[in-house]
Amino acid sequence: MLVLAGGGSGKSRLLTGGVARLGEEHGVGPRHILAVPFTNKAAGEMRGRVAQLLGREPGGLWIGTFHSLAARMLRREAPLLGFTPQFTIYDEDDRLAVVKRLLERLGHSPKTYSPRLTASLISHAKNRLVSPAELAETADDAASRVAAAVYAELGPALKAANAMDFDDLLLHPLTVFAEHPERLAYYQERFASILVDEFQDTNRAQYLFVKQLAGRHRNICVVGDDDQSIYGWRGADIRNMLDFQQDFPDAALIRLEENYRSTQRILDAANGVIAANAERLGKTLFTARQGGEQVVLVASADERDEAEWVARELRERCATEHYAYGDAAVLYRTNAQSRAFEDAFRRSAIPHRVIGAVSFYERREVKDLIAYLRLIVHPADDEAFLRSVQVPRRGIGLGSLNVLQETAAQWRRPLLETAAIADRIPTLRPAAKESFRQFAGLLERLRATLPESSPAALLEQLIAATDYEAHLAQEGPDGMERIEHVRELVAGAAEWSEEADPEDPSSPVQRYLTSAALTTSDERTRGDADGVSLLTVHSAKGLEWPIVFLAGLEDGLFPLSRALETPEGTEEERRLAYVATPRARHRLYLSWARARRRGGRPLPGTPSRLRHALPAHRIEARTT
């Protein structure tokens, strides 16, 4: 059975009810059922609901994510693959350390070939079931060729360490099934009934895993929504839903199109933005909740004006219609957009929380640059020195850093002052001495500009002097998003400097750092669970609120510029908009800015092409 379940159509109830009915009405024992939700949280909720429906704990029932179920299976089957049952699961940091070591062993500098980018290329290949030889054969640039060489060494290296990474957890069961058909037969008999949630977000390995398990009884129910497939960048393959119908041609196709969450006007907007997509099985959401408020489309001057308008509208709705701030959410395409809303809500004393990401000022790249500013303003700030001296890397190893710290302690000098005279430390290598001296000289040159520099100008000088964006770009797709955060930091600093108090005798940079430090502390200690939720559209999937603001509807931002380069990318952006709109139960606001700061400079904005897909008779246009 293939169930196309639109947002708010009761999918969770269907799955848990299905598990319970298999036992109560069809006599299927819990040990013969395999249920695969998408997240660990969903797995816990499903188990609790099933227990509530049955009136008892479903002993023997396997409920878990693909990764957790595969790990459970591999604890039993590991010896067949040359591992012990006590194998270690490597996290991302562990894997990066192995990749870095392999790069060095193969004679490639990690400075030239980023371990993170190399690991990303390997992971993408694994998710598509591409072997090292196939990756080498299709590699069309140096980074891909190096990744293929590391990929060939990675498997033996992990096996030697009795370890698996997250991708291996999905791939190794397929190897067991292929090389030991008797084990496949055992699991096919064991799991006579299979239920899979969020099927549109499965990658190729996950699809083959459940396809093979269902190959005998063919008693499988997959639930998903091809219109909500938004993880293509993470390996999800929307073709799995189409292939399911080919691999199981006798499967029933059921559409759950009635939405129990949103008003019809909100659903009309959702149906409009997805209608132009070609690769979809097709469905149209409807609801018994006719009418409702019009969808509001707001044009603002810039991102600050946009955030201030949202704050005003929220205060008005909460004051006149008895909503609580926790009833509202602000959704955006990229994490960098949270900064303007965090600042606006803080100024307006509106409680809020950031979901699915750390507070803007807690992000690694933001903290890196703030550490530089702290060290420029306060040369004795040793903690800022330890963070900034290693980013970007300067060939200063931990051994050299330890020597510097020991010497600074003996000399009773701050680390930066000691670094400036590192040539007096006899136990340091000449290269390390020079790196420390160059770093101290860079900080001194930047400090000389402090009296006349605004925070944004100093940040721009710092980013250029350290080539920080190029450093981030080496991290692959994650690095590109971090670059956006850096540019948003500069934009925020430019906006802040315009607010500087002329009566304050301290420098603008000092005042900015004080503001940033208070913001960091404030967000860490006062994140209000009952406040407005700030989160990306990706993080909002599966959630709902009475009031939703979808911000930043400009071409180049939503949809993203790089997504518009391919038809597939454009379709995924439409799916993202389709996911976002029915998060709202009562009120939906869409906003765009005529200008938005990028790297401290306002650039003109163009209304998103997604706007043109909205039904005009459902839209109320406003300006701030």
Side-chain angles (χ1 to χ4, degrees), residues 381-395:
D381 189 336
D382 283 352
E383 290 302 316
F385 177 93
L386 289 172
R387 184 175 190 103
S388 56
V389 75
Q390 298 185 79
V391 181
R393 294 198 177 278
R394 298 178 169 82

Side-chain angles (χ1 to χ4, degrees), residues 66-89:
F66 278 103
H67 286 94
S68 65
L69 293 172
R72 185 173 177 179
M73 184 180 292
L74 287 168
R75 294 294 180 195
R76 302 180 176 194
E77 313 300 338
L80 297 176
L81 300 172
F83 296 85
T84 74
Q86 295 75 36
F87 63 85
T88 300
I89 299 174

Side-chain angles (χ1 to χ4, degrees), residues 495-508:
E495 181 179 285
W496 182 91
S497 65
E498 295 163 1
E499 299 177 337
D501 180 4
E503 296 181 6
D504 191 323
S506 59
S507 73

Side-chain angles (χ1 to χ4, degrees), residues 41 251 345-346 352 374 385 390 471 474 502 561 604:
K41 179 182 178 183
F345 289 171
R346 194 172 59 256
H352 58 281
R374 284 169 48 193
F385 177 93
Q390 298 185 79
H471 159 71
Q474 295 177 359
S561 298

Side-chain angles (χ1 to χ4, degrees), residues 31-191:
R31 73 179 307 274
H32 291 297
I33 299 173
L34 180 72
V36 193
F38 193 62
T39 65
N40 289 316
K41 179 182 178 183
E45 291 174 351
M46 180 182 287
R47 180 174 289 278
R49 287 173 180 171
V50 171
Q52 188 174 19
L53 287 172
L54 294 176
R56 65 183 188 280
E57 282 295 322
L61 171 66
W62 279 32
I63 294 181
T65 64
F66 278 103
H67 286 94
S68 65
L69 293 172
R72 185 173 177 179
M73 184 180 292
L74 287 168
R75 294 294 180 195
R76 302 180 176 194
E77 313 300 338
L80 297 176
L81 300 172
F83 296 85
T84 74
Q86 295 75 36
F87 63 85
T88 300
I89 299 174
Y90 274 4
D91 64 15
E92 186 63 15
D93 288 341
D94 296 326
R95 184 172 67 157
L96 286 175
V98 176
V99 167
K100 181 175 182 291
R101 187 169 67 249
L102 292 175
L103 280 167
E104 292 170 339
R105 182 192 301 172
L106 293 170
H108 301 297
S109 169
K111 296 179 182 178
T112 305
Y113 297 99
S114 161
R116 192 174 297 276
L117 177 59
T118 303
S120 176
L121 292 171
I122 293 171
S123 180
H124 188 56
K126 284 185 174 184
N127 286 333
R128 292 180 292 123
L129 303 180
V130 173
S131 68
E134 290 171 323
L135 182 59
E137 192 174 314
T138 58
D140 55 4
D141 57 46
S144 297
R145 288 190 289 272
V146 169
V150 173
Y151 185 9
E153 300 288 331
L154 182 60
L158 289 172
K159 183 172 288 189
N162 195 39
M164 302 178 190
D165 63 21
F166 287 123
D167 297 324
D168 291 334
L169 293 179
L170 301 178
L171 294 177
H172 285 329
L174 300 180
T175 303
V176 171
F177 296 163
E179 297 179 355
H180 301 276
E182 75 283 359
R183 299 309 298 158
L184 173 60
Y186 165 80
Y187 287 109
Q188 287 175 335
E189 183 63 29
R190 168 72 190 269
F191 301 123

